[in-house]
Amino acid sequence: MFSYYFLLGIRSLRRNPALTALMVLTLAVGVAASIATLTILHVMSGAPIPSKSERLFVPLLDNGPLQGYAPGDKPNDRQLSYPDAYNIAHSKQGDRRTVMYGVAGPIEPARKDLNVFNASGLAPTADFFAMFDVPFLHGQGWSEASDAAGADVVVLSRSLSEKLYGDANPVGRRVTLMGFAYQITGVADHWNPVPRYVRIIGGPGAFGSEDEFFIPFAAAIRHEYGHNGSMSCSAYRDPGFEALLKSECTWIQGWIELHSAGDRPALQNWLDAYAAEQNKLGRMQRKAPTRLYNVGEWLEFLKVVGNDNKLSAWLAFGFLVLCLVNTIGLLLAKFSVRAPEVGIRRALGASRKEIFSQFLIETTVVGLAGGVLGLLLAFGALALVAMQSKELTVVAHMDWAMLLATFLMAVAAAVLAGLLPTWRACQVTPALQLKSQ
């Protein structure tokens, strides 16, 4: 019986083409707006590295001044001072550790057809590439020995490598970066989660440009490269770089990769003990609680999916509700003209349950048609988002969960919109319809 009613529903789409087209389009627009917004929020809030997001942690310590501080106040920074970053990097905690800060400066190409241009990048330690699963097109990252020596080595991004050397493998060559000659050890391939990591690792902002190069943290310190980004320097007044290293300015970010998520309590205990030890040495006078954030918690802490994005999702769903109201009106109009048909079917013995089933299945067919069109419109909206910036391409894609959600949302919306019109259709009195006909 379901297949019979389903075929009737398909035939009914052609019965009143203009009205059917309005219903399908109304549902499609509402579903497309909702699903496109939901897709972007879904991708933005997902785990960048599902295989290890529960094992990567950001440690935060509060070493701000006592002046103006009240117990329980939230810290106003998200990074570490150089002494704390150095101690964490050499703590032997977890399987891997990295500290980093943003750098930027001029690149002097060897090619005569290219002028000097500025580039921005990161200065991490060697563990960074393995921790964040950075893929390599050529070569590899540098060694721990290069870290220890502060060697002048560099990993280029694929886009920067192609700009400087075309399709050639540049590993082993030297490039003049920020006034010094660096030997290229590798070329990082396009890194899908880069836009989200740019935000996570304290770059210029959510969905900013990817890092164009990576140099050793120790090399950046040795060359006294300034920090490219925000810096909390309430205790820092001397512009000298050596004074910066000794100050309590927070400008470095640290990450620790544990062997398993179950090792988190041990890491927390070590961090608490470290803060207590620093307090005895005259630092961290606030005695504020230390904090650990895994990747998911860090995304939430940074509000990568901000309140404005959440508000846009609610507005999109509100637009879907408005489309449902319009669809209800259109279905009422569509079903009201079929009252004689219902009266004849009821007079011939059809029950109200059968009439209800028939009309509800017809609304489901309308929902499926709206889902197909809504899916096409959603793909179009996401394509427009991706065209705005190359870095936004990573969030402008729809996975299988979103594909399924599109059809479920369309069918559910159609069924909800069809409940009242279908119930009204069942209330037709056969005698009145037969008399009037």
Side-chain angles (χ1 to χ4, degrees):
M1 188 62 69
F2 176 84
S3 60
Y4 174 71
Y5 287 152
F6 188 82
L7 292 176
L8 283 181
I10 295 176
R11 290 173 59 186
S12 72
L13 293 178
R14 302 193 302 267
R15 179 172 296 178
N16 194 327
L19 197 59
T20 299
L22 281 176
M23 285 190 296
V24 171
L25 183 60
T26 300
L27 277 175
V29 170
V31 169
S34 301
I35 208 67
T37 306
L38 187 62
T39 296
I40 293 176
L41 292 178
H42 170 70
V43 176
M44 287 174 63
S45 59
I49 309 182
S51 62
K52 58 171 63 176
S53 290
E54 297 297 321
R55 298 189 287 115
L56 290 174
F57 289 90
V58 177
L60 288 187
L61 303 162
D62 192 345
N63 54 12
L66 277 175
Q67 183 178 2
Y69 172 74
D73 285 354
K74 294 182 179 180
N76 58 1
D77 61 78
R78 304 165 181 172
Q79 298 172 314
L80 302 169
S81 65
Y82 177 79
D84 297 325
Y86 180 89
N87 290 334
I88 287 175
H90 294 82
S91 65
K92 304 301 181 184
Q93 294 296 309
D95 292 343
R96 298 186 181 98
R97 297 153 303 283
T98 188
V99 293
M100 68 195 79
Y101 72 101
V103 293
I107 292 181
E108 303 174 31
R111 292 167 48 183
K112 301 302 182 182
D113 59 325
L114 284 180
N115 295 323
V116 175
F117 61 91
N118 287 322
S120 60
L122 277 181
T125 55
D127 279 348
F128 171 86
F129 304 102
M131 287 179 69
F132 292 102
D133 292 342
V134 178
F136 279 87
L137 181 66
H138 302 296
Q140 59 188 359
W142 56 81
S143 65
E144 292 185 4
S146 296
D147 261 343
D152 289 341
V153 292
V154 62
V155 169
L156 304 180
S157 69
R158 180 171 183 169
S159 58
L160 181 57
S161 175
E162 291 174 349
K163 182 176 183 178
L164 293 173
Y165 305 103
D167 295 332
N169 182 354
V171 172
R173 299 188 185 185
R174 289 187 173 273
V175 59
T176 302
L177 172 65
M178 293 185 282
F180 297 91
Y182 284 79
Q183 184 175 19
I184 301 171
T185 65
V187 175
D189 203 351
H190 291 311
W191 188 19
N192 287 336
V194 160
R196 196 175 298 137
Y197 281 133
V198 167
R199 179 64 178 267
I200 288 176
I201 60 181
F207 308 113
S209 300
E210 67 180 38
D211 296 300
E212 297 175 278
F213 64 85
F214 305 86
I215 60 174
F217 178 83
I221 296 296
R222 181 168 59 84
H223 292 310
E224 300 186 359
Y225 292 152
H227 179 268
N228 180 35
S230 60
M231 184 185 301
S232 174
C233 294
S234 57
Y236 178 59
R237 297 292 179 268
D238 192 326
F241 195 82
E242 184 176 348
L244 174 63
L245 298 183
K246 295 179 180 179
S247 74
E248 295 300 334
C249 290
T250 53
W251 52 296
I252 301 170
Q253 192 173 71
W255 286 83
I256 299 174
E257 179 182 343
L258 300 180
H259 185 70
S260 70
D263 296 333
R264 179 174 184 165
L267 178 59
Q268 183 68 66
N269 291 337
W270 176 87
L271 201 62
D272 293 340
Y274 171 79
E277 179 186 18
Q278 295 302 306
N279 177 257
K280 292 179 181 178
L281 296 175
R283 301 179 65 239
M284 300 187 186
Q285 300 177 21
R286 292 185 176 186
K287 298 183 179 180
T290 61
R291 293 158 296 154
L292 279 176
Y293 296 94
N294 61 29
V295 173
E297 294 165 348
W298 189 238
L299 285 168
E300 182 68 24
F301 177 73
L302 295 180
K303 298 187 183 302
V304 170
V305 182
N307 292 330
D308 53 341
N309 292 321
K310 295 177 181 178
L311 178 61
S312 65
W314 283 111
L315 290 176
F317 281 112
F319 184 69
L320 176 61
V321 172
L322 181 61
C323 291
L324 286 184
V325 174
N326 291 330
T327 304
I328 290 173
L330 293 171
L331 284 172
L332 283 171
K334 181 179 177 67
F335 290 164
S336 64
V337 299
R338 297 174 62 184
E341 171 193 335
V342 175
I344 292 173
R345 287 203 61 201
R346 292 276 287 119
L348 292 175
S351 67
R352 288 183 175 179
K353 180 180 178 182
E354 290 172 332
I355 299 295
F356 188 87
S357 299
Q358 174 190 345
F359 278 50
L360 199 61
I361 291 174
E362 288 187 18
T363 62
T364 302
V365 173
V366 172
L368 287 174
V372 173
L373 182 57
L375 185 62
L376 295 176
L377 293 177
F379 274 123
L382 294 174
L384 289 176
V385 171
M387 289 171 59
Q388 300 303 311
S389 171
K390 179 179 66 177
E391 286 76 27
L392 290 177
T393 304
V394 69
V395 300
H397 75 275
M398 189 178 292
D399 57 19
W400 287 108
M402 291 296 102
L403 288 172
L404 180 60
T406 301
F407 287 103
L408 290 179
M409 182 178 293
V411 172
V415 170
L416 287 174
L419 288 177
L420 176 61
T422 301
W423 180 81
R424 288 282 300 273
C426 295
Q427 308 308 308
V428 171
T429 304
L432 293 177
Q433 295 300 323
L434 292 175
K435 182 179 179 180
S436 63
Q437 295 301 315

